[in-house]
Amino acid sequence: MAAIHTPALLAAGQPRPRNYPANQYAFRAKSHFLYFLGEGLPGAALLFARGTMTLFVVPEQPGDALWTGPRPTLTELATRHGVDSVRSIEDLPAALADAGANVATLPTEDAPSAAWLSDLLGRTVAPSTGNRLEDGTPDAALADALIAMRLTHDQAAIAQLRLAGAASASAHLAAMRATSGAKTEMEVFGALVGHLRSRGFQDSFAPIVSTHGEILHNETYEHALNPGDLLLCDAGAEAPEGWAGDITRVWPVSGHFSDTQRALYEAVLDVQLTAIAACRKGVRYRQVHEVAKRRTVERLRDLGIFRGELDGLLERGAAAVFLPHGVGHLLGLDVHDMEDLGDRAGYAPGRTRSAAFGDCYLRLDRDLQPGMAVTIEPGFYQVPAILSDDAYTGKLGGDLRRDVLAKYADVRGIRIEDDVLVTEGDPEILTKDVPKAPSEVEAIVRGGH
Ligand code: GLY
Ligand code: MN
Ligand code: MN
């Protein structure tokens, strides 16, 4: 409230019905709301006005006690959350009228909430991202205040991130162990999600469990597992208060990397360890991305996939041919934390995305500070649409050695991802409980069922 000088309203968001109102998709509150309350209450809102914080909740509806059980009373909620007061959402219009002019709020991708907020505030609240927030408006001030608070995590948040990291790691171990008894991606996916759910965690995003790791966000699970395949698993836990983990591991279905798979796996792992070591206080995250790109091209040149001088290869776009995404992103209550605000959170004022292929997907360009959590997730992908397109490979000519690359045909996609907390000293790996050294990974997969 001190930072924004206007009242502010944060909506939890509306539950989304499937075919009739009571049959709903799982509800997940907006993270800005969760940040303050720690509990996602469907349809609720927080009003910050006149120096007080008021929680407005949907009151008990007829039939609730029968169908879904009694709701907590307003007094119980006030005690649980320490807000100044709790009132019925029906009182919100009057409270807004009393709060004064220029009530700030945030854009939301949840269209019913955007419509509801527009109606309440008598102006258009965009159902989109904060890239369009106009500087100097109350909404932009609110976004900037939240960004300032959420960019670095306090001890309570760090405890939740550690919890999410450990649960994410344990779910990956379960998935590795389930592989030897599985015939399809679906079975490994089921083991992973079941492991999380049975321990009270949600998944923090739709898990990727795929033998086609070159499809970066492949969210289908229909492929059979064949002995020569690598399985890429990118999944994370959401801790009870909403905080996210995000891990990627890759393992051989058979429990044995081929020589070519191992060589590329070790290259990506070296890139990852190098990039993690660069995550120190004061370092610009774009620099970490550049470190990862350079090391990737260097390692691929060592393997003979590229030839030529390093700077020249990098200038000709060599890195993005095999690593066409950013090296990572902010992590917090969301897996791509605060991306609902567009690049306003990920990019420091005055910094903007590069137009270059690969770099254009870099989601974070801030100077790292103690308390920031980021992912580090380099990879190697053989994407047919990139390798067959002169727009991406043309400048490299024969320095991209396709004859050598052909020997690595048993690798479609590798990514290795950990969650890293920036500290005053060495980076803390929040997801260290799941091994990534190739022989350790093999042993876990083989020791499965
Ligand atoms: N799975 C989303 C990410 O790793 O960024
Ligand atoms: Mn990630
Ligand atoms: Mn991930």
Side-chain angles (χ1 to χ4, degrees):
M1 283 185 264
I4 62 176
H5 309 298
T6 64
L9 183 67
L10 293 177
Q14 302 295 337
R16 213 154 55 89
R18 293 173 62 155
N19 65 327
Y20 62 95
N23 183 18
Q24 296 177 346
Y25 291 101
F27 175 73
R28 171 42 161 84
K30 291 282 296 174
S31 293
H32 301 297
F33 177 93
L34 270 182
Y35 181 76
F36 290 100
L37 210 70
E39 181 184 359
L41 299 169
L46 277 168
L47 179 64
F48 301 81
R50 302 193 189 285
T52 62
M53 175 162 127
T54 308
L55 171 63
F56 289 86
V57 296
V58 179
E60 185 155 318
Q61 304 293 305
D64 274 0
L66 172 63
W67 291 101
T68 50
R71 297 193 185 206
T73 65
L74 304 193
T75 314
E76 280 164 354
L77 285 170
T79 309
R80 191 189 299 173
H81 293 298
V83 291
D84 294 304
S85 59
V86 184
R87 297 170 65 182
S88 163
I89 199 86
E90 286 153 11
D91 297 341
L92 182 55
L96 283 169
D98 183 54
N102 292 327
V103 177
T105 195
L106 292 175
T108 172
E109 64 288 343
D110 165 15
S113 292
W116 180 71
L117 287 166
S118 301
D119 196 40
L120 268 175
L121 300 178
R123 63 184 174 90
T124 304
V125 176
S128 68
T129 66
N131 269 337
R132 299 195 197 139
L133 282 175
E134 207 179 310
D135 285 328
T137 60
D139 290 2
L142 174 61
D144 290 342
L146 282 161
I147 290 167
M149 284 189 282
R150 290 182 53 191
L151 264 181
T152 57
H153 304 298
D154 63 15
Q155 284 308 316
I158 290 170
Q160 286 280 310
L161 286 170
R162 287 188 181 124
L163 198 63
S168 307
S170 140
H172 271 77
L173 285 169
M176 285 180 189
R177 291 190 181 116
T179 301
S180 64
K183 295 201 163 30
T184 61
E185 297 168 346
M186 188 71 78
E187 289 171 69
V188 179
F189 165 74
L192 181 132
V193 174
H195 185 94
L196 286 175
R197 295 291 171 90
S198 63
R199 284 158 181 78
F201 292 84
Q202 301 289 320
D203 24 274
S204 54
F205 57 93
I208 298 159
V209 182
S210 182
T211 57
H212 281 265
E214 82 283 9
I215 302 172
L216 298 182
H217 280 180
N218 192 343
E219 288 170 7
T220 63
Y221 314 103
E222 80 270 18
H223 298 117
L225 301 180
N226 297 309
D229 285 337
L230 291 178
L231 186 62
L232 183 149
C233 179
D234 181 351
E238 178 177 294
E241 287 180 27
W243 300 81
D246 183 11
I247 298 180
T248 309
R249 291 288 184 269
V250 169
W251 56 88
V253 165
S254 66
H256 297 273
F257 285 103
S258 72
D259 290 347
T260 41
Q261 289 170 342
R262 180 180 279 260
L264 280 169
Y265 184 94
E266 283 176 344
V268 175
L269 183 55
D270 175 49
V271 174
Q272 204 233 11
L273 295 173
T274 308
I276 289 175
C279 290
R280 300 190 77 85
K281 177 181 171 178
V283 172
R284 183 174 176 176
Y285 191 79
R286 183 178 289 276
Q287 183 56 31
V288 181
H289 177 69
E290 291 301 328
V291 162
K293 283 167 60 185
R294 188 173 190 89
R295 194 70 160 189
T296 298
V297 174
E298 197 175 5
R299 291 300 304 236
L300 297 181
R301 193 184 59 170
D302 292 346
L303 293 174
I305 292 170
F306 287 126
R307 89 178 151 211
E309 184 260 329
L310 208 50
D311 287 319
L313 286 167
L314 283 160
E315 272 162 31
R316 286 180 286 155
V321 172
F322 296 108
L323 173 56
H325 60 70
V327 75
H329 49 83
L330 286 170
L331 184 76
L333 276 165
D334 279 307
V335 70
H336 289 183
D337 209 29
M338 296 186 280
E339 272 192 26
D340 58 318
L341 300 174
D343 282 342
R344 202 170 183 102
Y347 276 63
R351 295 180 187 168
T352 51
R353 289 206 187 207
S354 157
F357 179 65
D359 296 341
C360 65
Y361 298 118
L362 180 62
R363 300 167 187 277
L364 177 58
D365 187 9
R366 282 188 178 263
D367 297 345
L368 296 174
Q369 296 305 324
M372 265 189 193
V374 300
T375 68
I376 293 294
E377 49 181 304
F380 171 92
Y381 314 92
Q382 299 207 53
V383 182
I386 294 177
L387 288 167
S388 63
D389 190 334
D390 253 16
Y392 305 119
T393 60
K395 283 188 190 157
L396 294 160
D399 290 339
L400 169 59
R401 303 276 306 279
R402 292 185 189 263
D403 52 334
V404 179
L405 188 61
K407 295 179 191 152
Y408 293 90
D410 64 351
V411 175
R412 288 189 282 261
I414 294 174
R415 174 165 66 252
I416 305 176
E417 174 177 29
D418 280 298
D419 303 342
V420 176
L421 180 70
V422 182
T423 74
E424 288 288 345
D426 295 337
E428 176 183 333
I429 320 279
L430 298 164
T431 46
K432 61 182 179 323
D433 296 347
V434 56
K436 53 191 171 185
S439 52
E440 282 181 80
V441 168
E442 286 177 331
I444 296 163
V445 176
R446 289 204 299 265
H449 281 259

